[in-house]
Amino acid sequence: MGLDLSDRAYREQRWAARTALAAAGLAVLVPLAYGGVGGLLLLVAGAAGLGLSAVALWWTLTLRGPVRWVAGVVALAVPAAVIALFAATLFWALLVSVALWTVAVWSGRHALRGAGGSRVRVMRERKAPPPRRPYLIMNPRSGGGKVGRFSLQEKAERLGAHVILLDEDQHQDVTALARKAVAEGADLLGVAGGDGTQARVAAVAAAYDIPFLVISAGTRNHFAVDLGLDRDDPAACLDALTDGVELRVDLGYAGGRPFVNNASFGAYAAIVQSPGYRDDKIGTSLELLPDLLTRQQGPTLTARAAGRTLSAPHAVLVSNNPYRTGDPFGFGRRDRLDAAVLGVLGIRVDSAAEAAALLLDPEPDGLTILTAPEVIIEADRPEIEAGLDGEALVLPAPVHCRINAGALRVRVPRKRPGVPPRPPRLDWRRLRKLAATVGRTAVHRRGPTL
């Protein structure tokens, strides 16, 4: 996005930058001035408490018996004690500091939003005629019964769709059902169900180059949200049948299996294989994590991507387009689904000290984030446990993950919430330069569009 070169807009950006810098400085100085040397010691104590909590959490996850429960109590008690200590000694100063920091963040992002630089290109919409023979597969159990609660079958049939309702009492091959629908003349395939079901039917739609309709009837609906659909009203997704547009998006594959969100390997993937995981997620995780994190069980992985080698990571997440990083409010979201790259996130933590560094260090050695068109996951055994869009699988090693760029034609309602834009990253160096400029001498080149 290029700069708005009007004097008024530029003055607004400059003063927003100055406000951000002043508010950030005061946010730090107010508690220190209020508490004096004690305030400084409290800040040190807060950082130490955060590190101790990370260490205690690591012990909670890797140990068993009474020591684990003691560590768990410490992991919960230390943050609570630090918060209580801050509230008791710096209560008003802390409230003022939080308010000032809020002003600093808002003003800084406002200044940078109008200060040029690169922007994320949104997915391009294409006009397309309504389908004449749409086939929709609906899972009545998905999302706690959203198909029935939102009357999705009835509304879809009123709009002319043929609905295939999955049998709740027996397993059905949705891939075979989707292929049968195409053989019967379907010119659109859609799914009301979880992301794993979405992925299998999407792969059929991509193979036959026909549109795919996502109905947000799953539990979390990550794919639907990243397409800009309304996760709270799955019935609104059906509006695409009569008033829709098409998006061309990528499809991920791991060992030949499709995924619309991500493929996970390592500790989490091993845990979801357990028969008891669905009924007792926390208990099963606590039972298995000590052996997995200390490498007494599970495969030793090696991930290769973009010329990098990740040796013995505890977990690797390969996503269909990269997830946002550096934005806590947008974590787990993807800005685009058509960038033609996989996102790769690898984690390796071998000690309590490394667990603390993962939390305190802005660039910890144990965390790897990169993008690549292909990723190879190797192991010291012939098979690798994997989770594809939350579904547990065992794949032959090595697992080749790849992105099929623009493979999927997704039909979405023309009127939909959309994907919220990513707020600009707070770059304090840019803010200082913008705040220090006089007149319009510092400005003003158009930034590139990615």
Side-chain angles (χ1 to χ4, degrees):
M1 181 168 60
L3 269 179
D4 184 339
L5 297 182
S6 70
D7 289 335
R8 180 177 178 181
Y10 180 60
R11 284 197 302 269
E12 181 179 317
Q13 294 160 14
R14 186 175 58 191
W15 281 105
R18 292 172 176 175
T19 300
L21 293 172
L26 288 172
V28 175
L29 291 175
V30 165
L32 293 178
Y34 184 84
V37 176
L40 181 60
L41 292 176
L42 280 174
L43 292 179
V44 174
L50 196 60
L52 179 58
S53 297
V55 170
L57 180 60
W58 171 257
W59 288 336
T60 303
L61 297 177
T62 57
L63 300 176
R64 287 192 170 92
V67 178
R68 160 182 272 184
W69 298 112
V70 172
V73 170
V74 172
L76 295 174
V78 169
V82 170
I83 292 172
L85 182 61
F86 271 71
T89 56
L90 299 174
F91 181 69
W92 291 111
L94 197 59
L95 291 180
V96 172
S97 179
V98 171
L100 285 167
W101 185 250
T102 302
V103 171
V105 171
W106 185 88
S107 299
R109 285 180 170 171
H110 179 74
L112 295 173
R113 190 176 288 117
S118 63
R119 65 180 174 91
V120 175
R121 179 176 60 83
V122 298
M123 291 183 286
R124 180 185 172 191
E125 296 181 358
R126 297 172 176 83
K127 294 182 179 179
R132 286 180 283 187
R133 291 182 61 83
Y135 276 63
L136 307 181
I137 298 173
M138 296 190 178
N139 183 354
R141 294 169 296 180
S142 185
K146 286 184 178 179
V147 169
R149 194 159 66 249
F150 288 89
S151 303
L152 298 181
Q153 180 180 3
E154 293 80 1
K155 180 175 182 180
E157 289 175 342
R158 286 198 301 269
L159 294 173
H162 180 82
V163 176
I164 304 170
L165 198 66
L166 298 180
D167 191 332
E168 298 187 52
D169 297 324
Q170 63 178 354
H171 172 75
Q172 292 174 276
D173 186 344
V174 294
T175 300
L177 291 174
R179 288 175 176 161
K180 183 174 182 290
V182 174
E184 292 175 357
D187 61 353
L188 176 143
L189 292 174
V191 173
D195 288 324
T197 307
Q198 300 275 0
R200 292 195 294 275
V201 179
V204 177
Y208 289 94
D209 195 31
I210 62 175
F212 178 65
L213 176 65
V214 176
I215 305 170
S216 56
T219 302
R220 288 174 291 274
N221 302 298
H222 293 299
F223 188 49
V225 170
D226 292 336
L227 287 168
L229 302 176
D230 189 343
R231 109 162 75 198
D232 299 319
D233 185 8
C237 300
L238 293 170
D239 293 342
L241 292 173
T242 55
D243 184 19
V245 294
E246 279 190 16
L247 307 173
R248 273 279 185 183
V249 305
D250 307 331
L251 195 59
Y253 285 86
R257 302 291 190 102
F259 61 90
V260 293
N261 291 325
N262 58 60
S264 61
F265 306 90
Y268 171 75
I271 290 171
V272 298
Q273 305 289 328
S274 173
Y277 178 74
R278 295 296 178 187
D279 296 327
D280 185 10
K281 292 180 173 60
I282 295 177
T284 302
S285 299
L286 290 175
E287 175 62 28
L288 298 178
L289 276 174
D291 291 338
L292 291 171
L293 294 180
T294 57
R295 306 186 188 280
Q296 298 178 53
Q297 287 187 5
T300 299
L301 302 179
T302 301
R304 305 184 191 278
R308 301 264 310 267
T309 299
L310 283 65
S311 300
H314 283 97
V316 178
L317 184 73
V318 180
S319 59
N320 174 18
N321 285 261
Y323 288 109
R324 291 181 182 180
T325 57
D327 178 17
F329 298 104
F331 188 76
R333 299 288 300 270
R334 291 165 289 181
D335 293 308
R336 295 170 52 185
L337 293 170
D338 62 347
V341 291
L342 298 167
V344 183
L345 189 152
I347 298 177
R348 175 173 177 169
V349 185
D350 288 316
S351 67
E354 291 181 5
L358 196 65
L359 188 62
L360 298 174
D361 190 340
E363 295 183 358
D365 293 335
L367 180 65
T368 301
I369 301 174
L370 50 87
T371 60
E374 296 183 333
V375 182
I376 305 296
I377 309 294
E378 301 171 349
D380 60 349
R381 58 183 62 182
E383 293 182 324
I384 304 177
E385 296 152 326
L388 264 65
D389 290 332
E391 297 189 351
L393 297 172
V394 177
L395 303 175
V399 178
H400 178 204
C401 301
R402 62 181 177 86
I403 192 83
N404 194 349
L408 186 61
R409 298 164 55 191
V410 180
R411 188 172 178 88
V412 296
R414 185 173 57 84
K415 296 180 180 179
R416 61 192 187 280
V419 179
R422 180 205 296 251
R425 179 176 174 269
L426 279 179
D427 187 332
W428 297 104
R429 185 178 179 181
R430 288 185 64 204
L431 284 173
R432 287 196 302 270
K433 288 184 177 180
L434 184 60
T437 55
V438 178
R440 293 167 57 186
T441 58
V443 184
H444 297 149
R445 292 178 306 205
R446 248 175 220 283
T449 298
L450 294 182

